[in-house]
Amino acid sequence: MIGTYFGNDAHFDFLYPEHIIQLSTVHWTPLDIARRAAAFLSVPGGRIMDIGCGVGKFCLTAAFFHQNCTFYGIEQRRELVEIAQGAQSSLGLTNIDFICGNIAEIDLAPYTGLYFFNSFYENIDTQRGIDATVARNEDLYKFYTKLLFRKLEQQPSGCRLVTYHTSKEQVPASFVPTGEFFHPKVRMYIKR
């Protein structure tokens, strides 16, 4: 009964090791937000990228409910990618590809939708980081924020974007808010 994992966050988190479960409330997207964001991003045949996917909770949820789309998650920590792939295998989902890499190394243009739970914030909130395997500092936060802004500016018209815990100043004006804000920290946009 794979569907039982998607009943609530506590059930879903059983897919992960204990040290990952401990990070859930701060670093992983809640199921209700993942479902609503995925519904907005999922157009038939869509290719959706989760930028800084962590252990893949958004992608796994989205792929389960929207099997007519392909979901991609990029994450720089190999351990987290391997944990995401393990959860994917447990759920038997085939419409996901987890990539170990850095946002600086990937072209976002081929993706019809983007999901961004402010993964860069870890650089300025050093007390609640995921682990000590990557460098974290304010300069990196500024670098990655500017880099993503430039990459978003280059996205083709019609690209959909959902942000969670991200200020609207981090999104170019060419992304028009849809007004579908079901949560105060979630914003949905379409590139004009």
Side-chain angles (χ1 to χ4, degrees), residues 30-72:
L31 284 177
D32 62 331
I33 289 173
R35 286 187 69 175
R36 301 276 299 269
F40 174 75
L41 294 170
S42 297
V43 297
R47 294 168 44 94
I48 294 94
M49 169 61 75
D50 179 358
I51 301 164
C53 70
V55 292
K57 191 171 179 181
F58 168 78
C59 287
L60 295 164
T61 304
F64 179 78
F65 289 103
H66 300 279
Q67 296 184 11
N68 63 340
C69 294
T70 306
F71 296 87
Y72 302 83

Side-chain angles (χ1 to χ4, degrees), residues 124-190:
I124 54 177
D125 182 8
T126 57
Q127 298 302 309
R128 297 191 302 174
I130 293 172
D131 59 29
T133 62
V134 296
R136 295 190 315 254
N137 62 58
E138 191 169 341
D139 288 340
L140 282 173
Y141 176 81
K142 291 174 184 174
F143 170 78
Y144 284 124
T145 299
K146 288 177 184 175
L147 176 69
L148 181 59
F149 190 93
R150 284 194 308 273
K151 286 179 176 267
L152 290 175
E153 284 183 315
Q154 297 168 2
Q155 284 301 103
S157 177
C159 178
R160 291 173 176 242
L161 170 67
V162 175
T163 64
Y164 180 45
H165 283 279
T166 304
S167 79
K168 52 188 169 182
E169 290 77 27
Q170 292 176 270
V171 177
S174 57
F175 276 85
V176 179
T178 65
E180 299 177 37
F181 303 143
F182 60 90
H183 183 284
K185 298 293 184 184
V186 173
R187 297 206 188 305
M188 298 178 173
Y189 304 88
I190 299 177

Side-chain angles (χ1 to χ4, degrees), residues 4 9 17 21 27 30 33 52 70 87 89 95-96 98 104 106 138 142 147:
T4 59
D9 289 293
I21 294 171
H27 292 284
I33 289 173
T70 306
S89 179
N95 57 330
I96 307 173
F98 291 109
I106 194 162
E138 191 169 341
K142 291 174 184 174
L147 176 69

